[in-house]
Amino acid sequence: VFDMYTQGDATKIGRKCYNAIKSKGERVEQAAAELYVSVETIKSWNRTGNHFRCPKLENIIAVSKYTNIKIQDLLN
C-alpha cells in the first residue's frame, strides 16, 4: 500500500478520495467530522494548481473505511 501511495499520481489519488466521499451521498461536512479533517481539506483533494493537497496516507485509509472502498482502488 505504501509503495502504491508513493508511486501513485497524487492528483488522481486526491480526486478518487474526493469522488468516493461525494458518491457516498452524504454532505462533505458530515464526512469531514467523521474523518477528522476539515471541509476545506476534502475540497482541496479535488482542486488543481496551488490549491490542491494530496491526502495523507492515513486519510486515504480512513476514506477507504468510511466509503467501504478498497484502499487499492483509491490508490490505482
Side-chain angles (χ1 to χ4, degrees):
V1 169
F2 182 74
D3 288 339
M4 292 172 74
Y5 175 72
T6 58
Q7 296 172 4
D9 180 345
T11 305
K12 187 176 175 183
I13 292 169
R15 289 223 168 89
K16 283 187 175 188
C17 288
Y18 176 83
N19 290 330
I21 290 169
K22 292 296 282 185
S23 69
K24 187 166 166 114
E26 297 177 0
R27 295 180 24 231
V28 174
E29 293 82 6
Q30 183 176 349
E34 291 192 36
L35 297 172
Y36 302 108
V37 296
S38 70
V39 172
E40 280 303 311
T41 296
I42 292 174
K43 289 181 178 179
S44 75
W45 298 342
N46 195 40
R47 294 185 183 140
T48 58
N50 294 335
H51 301 288
F52 170 77
R53 282 187 263 165
C54 182
K56 296 177 184 175
L57 185 56
E58 60 265 23
N59 291 338
I60 297 169
I61 293 167
V63 168
S64 173
K65 289 180 180 179
Y66 177 73
T67 60
N68 290 325
I69 296 175
K70 290 181 183 178
I71 191 166
Q72 293 85 350
D73 293 339
L74 295 173
L75 295 172
N76 281 331

PDB file of all heavy atoms in Angstrom, residues 13-44:
ATOM      1  N   ILE A  13      -5.139  10.335  -7.024  1.00  0.00           N
ATOM      2  CA  ILE A  13      -5.496   9.783  -5.717  1.00  0.00           C
ATOM      3  C   ILE A  13      -6.433  10.733  -4.983  1.00  0.00           C
ATOM      4  O   ILE A  13      -7.447  10.328  -4.424  1.00  0.00           O
ATOM      5  CB  ILE A  13      -4.234   9.485  -4.881  1.00  0.00           C
ATOM      6  CG1 ILE A  13      -3.449   8.336  -5.501  1.00  0.00           C
ATOM      7  CG2 ILE A  13      -4.592   9.175  -3.426  1.00  0.00           C
ATOM      8  CD1 ILE A  13      -2.060   8.137  -4.902  1.00  0.00           C
ATOM      9  N   GLY A  14      -6.089  12.008  -4.990  1.00  0.00           N
ATOM     10  CA  GLY A  14      -6.918  13.006  -4.333  1.00  0.00           C
ATOM     11  C   GLY A  14      -8.327  13.057  -4.900  1.00  0.00           C
ATOM     12  O   GLY A  14      -9.311  13.095  -4.167  1.00  0.00           O
ATOM     13  N   ARG A  15      -8.429  13.025  -6.216  1.00  0.00           N
ATOM     14  CA  ARG A  15      -9.744  13.070  -6.860  1.00  0.00           C
ATOM     15  C   ARG A  15     -10.554  11.814  -6.562  1.00  0.00           C
ATOM     16  O   ARG A  15     -11.762  11.886  -6.349  1.00  0.00           O
ATOM     17  CB  ARG A  15      -9.583  13.246  -8.364  1.00  0.00           C
ATOM     18  CG  ARG A  15      -9.097  14.623  -8.693  1.00  0.00           C
ATOM     19  CD  ARG A  15      -9.800  15.232  -9.874  1.00  0.00           C
ATOM     20  NE  ARG A  15      -9.478  16.641  -9.952  1.00  0.00           N
ATOM     21  CZ  ARG A  15      -8.446  17.135 -10.605  1.00  0.00           C
ATOM     22  NH1 ARG A  15      -7.634  16.329 -11.257  1.00  0.00           N
ATOM     23  NH2 ARG A  15      -8.207  18.433 -10.620  1.00  0.00           N
ATOM     24  N   LYS A  16      -9.894  10.664  -6.524  1.00  0.00           N
ATOM     25  CA  LYS A  16     -10.610   9.428  -6.197  1.00  0.00           C
ATOM     26  C   LYS A  16     -11.161   9.467  -4.783  1.00  0.00           C
ATOM     27  O   LYS A  16     -12.284   9.028  -4.543  1.00  0.00           O
ATOM     28  CB  LYS A  16      -9.706   8.207  -6.395  1.00  0.00           C
ATOM     29  CG  LYS A  16      -9.524   7.812  -7.840  1.00  0.00           C
ATOM     30  CD  LYS A  16      -8.777   6.511  -7.952  1.00  0.00           C
ATOM     31  CE  LYS A  16      -8.715   6.075  -9.402  1.00  0.00           C
ATOM     32  NZ  LYS A  16      -8.166   4.728  -9.521  1.00  0.00           N
ATOM     33  N   CYS A  17     -10.379   9.990  -3.843  1.00  0.00           N
ATOM     34  CA  CYS A  17     -10.859  10.109  -2.463  1.00  0.00           C
ATOM     35  C   CYS A  17     -12.034  11.076  -2.391  1.00  0.00           C
ATOM     36  O   CYS A  17     -13.044  10.785  -1.752  1.00  0.00           O
ATOM     37  CB  CYS A  17      -9.724  10.561  -1.550  1.00  0.00           C
ATOM     38  SG  CYS A  17      -8.478   9.296  -1.258  1.00  0.00           S
ATOM     39  N   TYR A  18     -11.910  12.211  -3.056  1.00  0.00           N
ATOM     40  CA  TYR A  18     -12.988  13.199  -3.061  1.00  0.00           C
ATOM     41  C   TYR A  18     -14.255  12.606  -3.675  1.00  0.00           C
ATOM     42  O   TYR A  18     -15.343  12.713  -3.110  1.00  0.00           O
ATOM     43  CB  TYR A  18     -12.551  14.441  -3.839  1.00  0.00           C
ATOM     44  CG  TYR A  18     -13.635  15.476  -3.971  1.00  0.00           C
ATOM     45  CD1 TYR A  18     -13.875  16.385  -2.954  1.00  0.00           C
ATOM     46  CD2 TYR A  18     -14.429  15.542  -5.114  1.00  0.00           C
ATOM     47  CE1 TYR A  18     -14.875  17.334  -3.064  1.00  0.00           C
ATOM     48  CE2 TYR A  18     -15.430  16.486  -5.233  1.00  0.00           C
ATOM     49  CZ  TYR A  18     -15.643  17.382  -4.204  1.00  0.00           C
ATOM     50  OH  TYR A  18     -16.650  18.320  -4.321  1.00  0.00           O
ATOM     51  N   ASN A  19     -14.113  11.970  -4.821  1.00  0.00           N
ATOM     52  CA  ASN A  19     -15.272  11.378  -5.502  1.00  0.00           C
ATOM     53  C   ASN A  19     -15.889  10.237  -4.707  1.00  0.00           C
ATOM     54  O   ASN A  19     -17.107  10.045  -4.736  1.00  0.00           O
ATOM     55  CB  ASN A  19     -14.899  10.925  -6.908  1.00  0.00           C
ATOM     56  CG  ASN A  19     -14.631  12.094  -7.832  1.00  0.00           C
ATOM     57  OD1 ASN A  19     -15.207  13.169  -7.673  1.00  0.00           O
ATOM     58  ND2 ASN A  19     -13.737  11.907  -8.782  1.00  0.00           N
ATOM     59  N   ALA A  20     -15.063   9.474  -3.989  1.00  0.00           N
ATOM     60  CA  ALA A  20     -15.592   8.392  -3.153  1.00  0.00           C
ATOM     61  C   ALA A  20     -16.484   8.964  -2.055  1.00  0.00           C
ATOM     62  O   ALA A  20     -17.561   8.437  -1.774  1.00  0.00           O
ATOM     63  CB  ALA A  20     -14.442   7.583  -2.546  1.00  0.00           C
ATOM     64  N   ILE A  21     -16.044  10.058  -1.460  1.00  0.00           N
ATOM     65  CA  ILE A  21     -16.840  10.705  -0.412  1.00  0.00           C
ATOM     66  C   ILE A  21     -18.128  11.260  -0.997  1.00  0.00           C
ATOM     67  O   ILE A  21     -19.207  11.082  -0.433  1.00  0.00           O
ATOM     68  CB  ILE A  21     -16.016  11.810   0.282  1.00  0.00           C
ATOM     69  CG1 ILE A  21     -14.906  11.163   1.109  1.00  0.00           C
ATOM     70  CG2 ILE A  21     -16.900  12.700   1.153  1.00  0.00           C
ATOM     71  CD1 ILE A  21     -13.870  12.130   1.625  1.00  0.00           C
ATOM     72  N   LYS A  22     -18.030  11.930  -2.133  1.00  0.00           N
ATOM     73  CA  LYS A  22     -19.216  12.521  -2.761  1.00  0.00           C
ATOM     74  C   LYS A  22     -20.204  11.433  -3.203  1.00  0.00           C
ATOM     75  O   LYS A  22     -21.414  11.619  -3.099  1.00  0.00           O
ATOM     76  CB  LYS A  22     -18.818  13.389  -3.962  1.00  0.00           C
ATOM     77  CG  LYS A  22     -18.067  14.652  -3.600  1.00  0.00           C
ATOM     78  CD  LYS A  22     -18.895  15.609  -2.788  1.00  0.00           C
ATOM     79  CE  LYS A  22     -19.854  16.345  -3.688  1.00  0.00           C
ATOM     80  NZ  LYS A  22     -20.627  17.369  -3.014  1.00  0.00           N
ATOM     81  N   SER A  23     -19.705  10.311  -3.685  1.00  0.00           N
ATOM     82  CA  SER A  23     -20.599   9.253  -4.173  1.00  0.00           C
ATOM     83  C   SER A  23     -21.324   8.538  -3.038  1.00  0.00           C
ATOM     84  O   SER A  23     -22.323   7.872  -3.265  1.00  0.00           O
ATOM     85  CB  SER A  23     -19.825   8.242  -5.024  1.00  0.00           C
ATOM     86  OG  SER A  23     -18.941   7.501  -4.230  1.00  0.00           O
ATOM     87  N   LYS A  24     -20.823   8.700  -1.821  1.00  0.00           N
ATOM     88  CA  LYS A  24     -21.499   8.099  -0.675  1.00  0.00           C
ATOM     89  C   LYS A  24     -22.844   8.782  -0.435  1.00  0.00           C
ATOM     90  O   LYS A  24     -23.736   8.216   0.185  1.00  0.00           O
ATOM     91  CB  LYS A  24     -20.610   8.181   0.564  1.00  0.00           C
ATOM     92  CG  LYS A  24     -21.185   7.430   1.736  1.00  0.00           C
ATOM     93  CD  LYS A  24     -20.167   7.234   2.820  1.00  0.00           C
ATOM     94  CE  LYS A  24     -20.872   6.794   4.065  1.00  0.00           C
ATOM     95  NZ  LYS A  24     -20.609   5.504   4.519  1.00  0.00           N
ATOM     96  N   GLY A  25     -22.985   9.995  -0.952  1.00  0.00           N
ATOM     97  CA  GLY A  25     -24.273  10.679  -0.889  1.00  0.00           C
ATOM     98  C   GLY A  25     -24.508  11.506   0.352  1.00  0.00           C
ATOM     99  O   GLY A  25     -25.587  12.034   0.541  1.00  0.00           O
ATOM    100  N   GLU A  26     -23.508  11.621   1.193  1.00  0.00           N
ATOM    101  CA  GLU A  26     -23.654  12.428   2.395  1.00  0.00           C
ATOM    102  C   GLU A  26     -22.977  13.778   2.177  1.00  0.00           C
ATOM    103  O   GLU A  26     -22.200  13.960   1.257  1.00  0.00           O
ATOM    104  CB  GLU A  26     -23.031  11.706   3.586  1.00  0.00           C
ATOM    105  CG  GLU A  26     -23.732  10.404   3.903  1.00  0.00           C
ATOM    106  CD  GLU A  26     -23.079   9.635   5.034  1.00  0.00           C
ATOM    107  OE1 GLU A  26     -22.072  10.115   5.587  1.00  0.00           O
ATOM    108  OE2 GLU A  26     -23.574   8.548   5.345  1.00  0.00           O
ATOM    109  N   ARG A  27     -23.276  14.708   3.060  1.00  0.00           N
ATOM    110  CA  ARG A  27     -22.684  16.035   2.957  1.00  0.00           C
ATOM    111  C   ARG A  27     -21.201  15.971   3.292  1.00  0.00           C
ATOM    112  O   ARG A  27     -20.773  15.175   4.131  1.00  0.00           O
ATOM    113  CB  ARG A  27     -23.400  17.000   3.900  1.00  0.00           C
ATOM    114  CG  ARG A  27     -24.841  17.228   3.500  1.00  0.00           C
ATOM    115  CD  ARG A  27     -25.613  18.180   4.387  1.00  0.00           C
ATOM    116  NE  ARG A  27     -24.801  19.132   5.125  1.00  0.00           N
ATOM    117  CZ  ARG A  27     -24.890  19.331   6.439  1.00  0.00           C
ATOM    118  NH1 ARG A  27     -25.753  18.663   7.163  1.00  0.00           N
ATOM    119  NH2 ARG A  27     -24.120  20.228   7.042  1.00  0.00           N
ATOM    120  N   VAL A  28     -20.430  16.820   2.662  1.00  0.00           N
ATOM    121  CA  VAL A  28     -18.995  16.872   2.910  1.00  0.00           C
ATOM    122  C   VAL A  28     -18.723  17.222   4.369  1.00  0.00           C
ATOM    123  O   VAL A  28     -17.782  16.704   4.975  1.00  0.00           O
ATOM    124  CB  VAL A  28     -18.319  17.887   1.952  1.00  0.00           C
ATOM    125  CG1 VAL A  28     -16.853  18.063   2.287  1.00  0.00           C
ATOM    126  CG2 VAL A  28     -18.478  17.446   0.508  1.00  0.00           C
ATOM    127  N   GLU A  29     -19.559  18.046   4.962  1.00  0.00           N
ATOM    128  CA  GLU A  29     -19.387  18.419   6.368  1.00  0.00           C
ATOM    129  C   GLU A  29     -19.482  17.199   7.291  1.00  0.00           C
ATOM    130  O   GLU A  29     -18.723  17.079   8.247  1.00  0.00           O
ATOM    131  CB  GLU A  29     -20.426  19.473   6.777  1.00  0.00           C
ATOM    132  CG  GLU A  29     -20.258  20.813   6.106  1.00  0.00           C
ATOM    133  CD  GLU A  29     -20.842  20.891   4.705  1.00  0.00           C
ATOM    134  OE1 GLU A  29     -21.490  19.930   4.252  1.00  0.00           O
ATOM    135  OE2 GLU A  29     -20.629  21.925   4.052  1.00  0.00           O
ATOM    136  N   GLN A  30     -20.402  16.318   6.989  1.00  0.00           N
ATOM    137  CA  GLN A  30     -20.557  15.101   7.794  1.00  0.00           C
ATOM    138  C   GLN A  30     -19.339  14.191   7.621  1.00  0.00           C
ATOM    139  O   GLN A  30     -18.832  13.634   8.582  1.00  0.00           O
ATOM    140  CB  GLN A  30     -21.824  14.355   7.406  1.00  0.00           C
ATOM    141  CG  GLN A  30     -22.062  13.122   8.252  1.00  0.00           C
ATOM    142  CD  GLN A  30     -23.376  12.430   7.919  1.00  0.00           C
ATOM    143  OE1 GLN A  30     -24.204  12.961   7.197  1.00  0.00           O
ATOM    144  NE2 GLN A  30     -23.559  11.249   8.456  1.00  0.00           N
ATOM    145  N   ALA A  31     -18.882  14.048   6.389  1.00  0.00           N
ATOM    146  CA  ALA A  31     -17.699  13.225   6.125  1.00  0.00           C
ATOM    147  C   ALA A  31     -16.482  13.803   6.838  1.00  0.00           C
ATOM    148  O   ALA A  31     -15.696  13.061   7.434  1.00  0.00           O
ATOM    149  CB  ALA A  31     -17.448  13.129   4.626  1.00  0.00           C
ATOM    150  N   ALA A  32     -16.337  15.116   6.800  1.00  0.00           N
ATOM    151  CA  ALA A  32     -15.199  15.762   7.455  1.00  0.00           C
ATOM    152  C   ALA A  32     -15.199  15.482   8.956  1.00  0.00           C
ATOM    153  O   ALA A  32     -14.154  15.195   9.539  1.00  0.00           O
ATOM    154  CB  ALA A  32     -15.227  17.269   7.192  1.00  0.00           C
ATOM    155  N   ALA A  33     -16.362  15.550   9.564  1.00  0.00           N
ATOM    156  CA  ALA A  33     -16.461  15.286  11.001  1.00  0.00           C
ATOM    157  C   ALA A  33     -16.086  13.843  11.325  1.00  0.00           C
ATOM    158  O   ALA A  33     -15.397  13.574  12.321  1.00  0.00           O
ATOM    159  CB  ALA A  33     -17.876  15.585  11.489  1.00  0.00           C
ATOM    160  N   GLU A  34     -16.507  12.909  10.493  1.00  0.00           N
ATOM    161  CA  GLU A  34     -16.207  11.502  10.754  1.00  0.00           C
ATOM    162  C   GLU A  34     -14.761  11.139  10.430  1.00  0.00           C
ATOM    163  O   GLU A  34     -14.211  10.210  11.006  1.00  0.00           O
ATOM    164  CB  GLU A  34     -17.177  10.615   9.975  1.00  0.00           C
ATOM    165  CG  GLU A  34     -18.595  10.700  10.519  1.00  0.00           C
ATOM    166  CD  GLU A  34     -19.503   9.631   9.956  1.00  0.00           C
ATOM    167  OE1 GLU A  34     -19.025   8.499   9.729  1.00  0.00           O
ATOM    168  OE2 GLU A  34     -20.693   9.935   9.760  1.00  0.00           O
ATOM    169  N   LEU A  35     -14.158  11.869   9.486  1.00  0.00           N
ATOM    170  CA  LEU A  35     -12.779  11.587   9.080  1.00  0.00           C
ATOM    171  C   LEU A  35     -11.759  12.440   9.837  1.00  0.00           C
ATOM    172  O   LEU A  35     -10.559  12.289   9.633  1.00  0.00           O
ATOM    173  CB  LEU A  35     -12.618  11.816   7.571  1.00  0.00           C
ATOM    174  CG  LEU A  35     -13.449  10.912   6.664  1.00  0.00           C
ATOM    175  CD1 LEU A  35     -13.358  11.372   5.223  1.00  0.00           C
ATOM    176  CD2 LEU A  35     -12.998   9.466   6.802  1.00  0.00           C
ATOM    177  N   TYR A  36     -12.234  13.345  10.668  1.00  0.00           N
ATOM    178  CA  TYR A  36     -11.373  14.229  11.454  1.00  0.00           C
ATOM    179  C   TYR A  36     -10.466  15.100  10.579  1.00  0.00           C
ATOM    180  O   TYR A  36      -9.287  15.287  10.874  1.00  0.00           O
ATOM    181  CB  TYR A  36     -10.532  13.444  12.468  1.00  0.00           C
ATOM    182  CG  TYR A  36     -11.368  12.646  13.424  1.00  0.00           C
ATOM    183  CD1 TYR A  36     -11.428  11.261  13.324  1.00  0.00           C
ATOM    184  CD2 TYR A  36     -12.133  13.273  14.406  1.00  0.00           C
ATOM    185  CE1 TYR A  36     -12.218  10.511  14.193  1.00  0.00           C
ATOM    186  CE2 TYR A  36     -12.921  12.531  15.275  1.00  0.00           C
ATOM    187  CZ  TYR A  36     -12.949  11.166  15.166  1.00  0.00           C
ATOM    188  OH  TYR A  36     -13.728  10.439  16.028  1.00  0.00           O
ATOM    189  N   VAL A  37     -11.026  15.599   9.489  1.00  0.00           N
ATOM    190  CA  VAL A  37     -10.345  16.573   8.637  1.00  0.00           C
ATOM    191  C   VAL A  37     -11.318  17.723   8.395  1.00  0.00           C
ATOM    192  O   VAL A  37     -12.514  17.598   8.644  1.00  0.00           O
ATOM    193  CB  VAL A  37      -9.889  15.966   7.290  1.00  0.00           C
ATOM    194  CG1 VAL A  37      -8.856  14.874   7.503  1.00  0.00           C
ATOM    195  CG2 VAL A  37     -11.051  15.435   6.485  1.00  0.00           C
ATOM    196  N   SER A  38     -10.802  18.814   7.890  1.00  0.00           N
ATOM    197  CA  SER A  38     -11.678  19.956   7.630  1.00  0.00           C
ATOM    198  C   SER A  38     -12.379  19.787   6.281  1.00  0.00           C
ATOM    199  O   SER A  38     -11.929  19.034   5.409  1.00  0.00           O
ATOM    200  CB  SER A  38     -10.875  21.259   7.633  1.00  0.00           C
ATOM    201  OG  SER A  38     -10.040  21.323   6.497  1.00  0.00           O
ATOM    202  N   VAL A  39     -13.464  20.515   6.125  1.00  0.00           N
ATOM    203  CA  VAL A  39     -14.189  20.525   4.853  1.00  0.00           C
ATOM    204  C   VAL A  39     -13.266  21.042   3.750  1.00  0.00           C
ATOM    205  O   VAL A  39     -13.250  20.506   2.644  1.00  0.00           O
ATOM    206  CB  VAL A  39     -15.467  21.396   4.961  1.00  0.00           C
ATOM    207  CG1 VAL A  39     -16.117  21.585   3.603  1.00  0.00           C
ATOM    208  CG2 VAL A  39     -16.446  20.788   5.948  1.00  0.00           C
ATOM    209  N   GLU A  40     -12.477  22.069   4.072  1.00  0.00           N
ATOM    210  CA  GLU A  40     -11.546  22.628   3.085  1.00  0.00           C
ATOM    211  C   GLU A  40     -10.509  21.600   2.637  1.00  0.00           C
ATOM    212  O   GLU A  40     -10.115  21.580   1.483  1.00  0.00           O
ATOM    213  CB  GLU A  40     -10.853  23.876   3.639  1.00  0.00           C
ATOM    214  CG  GLU A  40     -11.709  25.109   3.549  1.00  0.00           C
ATOM    215  CD  GLU A  40     -12.161  25.409   2.120  1.00  0.00           C
ATOM    216  OE1 GLU A  40     -11.333  25.415   1.195  1.00  0.00           O
ATOM    217  OE2 GLU A  40     -13.374  25.617   1.932  1.00  0.00           O
ATOM    218  N   THR A  41     -10.082  20.747   3.543  1.00  0.00           N
ATOM    219  CA  THR A  41      -9.125  19.699   3.180  1.00  0.00           C
ATOM    220  C   THR A  41      -9.742  18.747   2.171  1.00  0.00           C
ATOM    221  O   THR A  41      -9.125  18.431   1.149  1.00  0.00           O
ATOM    222  CB  THR A  41      -8.652  18.933   4.430  1.00  0.00           C
ATOM    223  OG1 THR A  41      -7.949  19.833   5.285  1.00  0.00           O
ATOM    224  CG2 THR A  41      -7.754  17.766   4.061  1.00  0.00           C
ATOM    225  N   ILE A  42     -10.956  18.309   2.430  1.00  0.00           N
ATOM    226  CA  ILE A  42     -11.624  17.403   1.487  1.00  0.00           C
ATOM    227  C   ILE A  42     -11.812  18.090   0.144  1.00  0.00           C
ATOM    228  O   ILE A  42     -11.546  17.501  -0.905  1.00  0.00           O
ATOM    229  CB  ILE A  42     -12.969  16.907   2.062  1.00  0.00           C
ATOM    230  CG1 ILE A  42     -12.723  16.002   3.262  1.00  0.00           C
ATOM    231  CG2 ILE A  42     -13.771  16.159   0.980  1.00  0.00           C
ATOM    232  CD1 ILE A  42     -13.977  15.568   3.997  1.00  0.00           C
ATOM    233  N   LYS A  43     -12.238  19.336   0.151  1.00  0.00           N
ATOM    234  CA  LYS A  43     -12.434  20.063  -1.106  1.00  0.00           C
ATOM    235  C   LYS A  43     -11.120  20.256  -1.852  1.00  0.00           C
ATOM    236  O   LYS A  43     -11.097  20.254  -3.078  1.00  0.00           O
ATOM    237  CB  LYS A  43     -13.104  21.407  -0.839  1.00  0.00           C
ATOM    238  CG  LYS A  43     -14.561  21.270  -0.438  1.00  0.00           C
ATOM    239  CD  LYS A  43     -15.183  22.629  -0.205  1.00  0.00           C
ATOM    240  CE  LYS A  43     -16.656  22.503   0.160  1.00  0.00           C
ATOM    241  NZ  LYS A  43     -17.264  23.833   0.422  1.00  0.00           N
ATOM    242  N   SER A  44     -10.008  20.397  -1.120  1.00  0.00           N
ATOM    243  CA  SER A  44      -8.713  20.599  -1.767  1.00  0.00           C
ATOM    244  C   SER A  44      -8.260  19.377  -2.553  1.00  0.00           C
ATOM    245  O   SER A  44      -7.450  19.485  -3.455  1.00  0.00           O
ATOM    246  CB  SER A  44      -7.646  20.983  -0.739  1.00  0.00           C
ATOM    247  OG  SER A  44      -7.245  19.861   0.021  1.00  0.00           O
TER     248      SER A  44
END
